[in-house]
Amino acid sequence: MTATAVLTARALLLDMDGTLVNSDASVERVWRRWAERHGLDGDEVMKVVHGRQGYASMALLLPDRPMEHNHADNARMLAEETADTDGVVAIPGAPEFLASLRGLPHALVTSADVPLSTARMAAAGLQQPEVRVTAESVGASKPDPEGFLKGAAELGIAPADCVVFEDSGAGIAAGRAAGMTVVGIGPRAASHEPDVVVEDLTKVRVEAAADGTIHLHIG
């Protein structure tokens, strides 16, 4: 569905990769090398990895491998991704969108850890939100809703009053499971049925209302 809507929220929860930052080039390089090392089809691997923590993607792709191997491999992958910021840029409209949220309740909710999220936001020239829920903050990866629920709790806002911005199937499912409205960003989101979907953040305008709510003009 193409968004032509005004949504009302009390807080916004923002994914990073694919939503604020275009890191696809780095993700492709690192994960295709991983796929080759494990004799997997790179195209099939790329269908799985967006939005999830690495160990969770590995568990789906190598279901018979012990989870401790996935966690160890994930640590190596995070280091590779953190070092590889070539081609990492802001999603169109992201700098202006984040600027419009100053003073309003919002949080970053990402499957990246602190070093990776810091590196990618810096490479894209974006300022980090004050409230951040990263891989270290949760026990379960998206599509589990834990990250979004934790973000809402840290902001002191009921889940039903939060709007999630996401690009991936796993992230959209996590937002829905948390009981939140989901705005899909970009072509990857369109096939996962978010509540509304837009091409990028240039299509979102933020208006702070006198009663403390946030009006999102989308489309």
Side-chain angles (χ1 to χ4, degrees):
M1 176 172 60
T2 300
T4 55
V6 178
L7 301 178
T8 299
R10 292 194 173 275
L12 307 184
L13 302 177
L14 316 174
D15 175 51
M16 182 182 71
D17 293 303
T19 300
L20 298 173
V21 172
N22 183 344
S23 57
D24 282 1
S26 173
V27 173
E28 288 262 348
R29 285 191 293 268
V30 171
W31 277 98
R32 285 185 182 277
R33 286 198 299 268
W34 182 87
E36 187 175 356
R37 287 198 297 269
H38 292 280
L40 299 175
D41 182 88
D43 291 340
E44 294 303 312
V45 167
M46 295 314 302
K47 292 177 183 178
V48 172
V49 300
H50 291 291
R52 292 180 172 86
Q53 291 191 45
Y55 73 84
S57 296
M58 294 170 191
L60 291 173
L61 293 162
L62 298 173
D64 296 327
R65 189 165 79 153
M67 188 57 77
E68 59 266 27
H69 292 184
N70 294 336
H71 281 288
D73 217 359
N74 184 46
R76 290 189 290 270
M77 294 283 284
L78 284 169
E80 283 188 53
E81 290 185 287
T82 301
D84 183 357
T85 57
D86 187 31
V88 174
V89 296
I91 293 290
E96 297 81 4
F97 175 70
L98 286 172
S100 73
L101 296 182
R102 289 188 188 123
L104 300 176
H106 68 288
L108 187 73
V109 181
T110 176
S111 293
D113 63 2
V114 168
L116 180 56
S117 59
T118 300
R120 284 187 175 163
M121 291 289 279
L126 299 176
Q127 186 168 350
Q128 295 257 26
E130 289 186 13
V131 177
R132 296 184 291 276
V133 179
T134 61
E136 297 94 336
S137 310
V138 298
S141 170
K142 299 172 185 176
D144 191 282
E146 181 186 357
F148 287 125
L149 292 172
K150 184 162 283 190
E154 290 198 22
L155 293 170
I157 304 295
D161 291 326
C162 295
V163 170
V164 165
F165 284 74
E166 263 286 359
D167 74 299
S168 71
I172 290 167
R176 285 193 178 283
M180 301 171 181
T181 299
V182 181
V183 176
I185 304 296
R188 196 156 45 226
S191 61
H192 298 289
E193 300 184 347
D195 293 286
V196 292
V197 62
V198 290
E199 180 182 354
D200 56 41
L201 290 167
T202 66
K203 306 297 184 183
V204 181
R205 181 169 63 85
V206 177
E207 177 189 6
D211 64 357
T213 59
I214 303 168
H215 294 172
L216 299 168
H217 300 263
I218 299 177

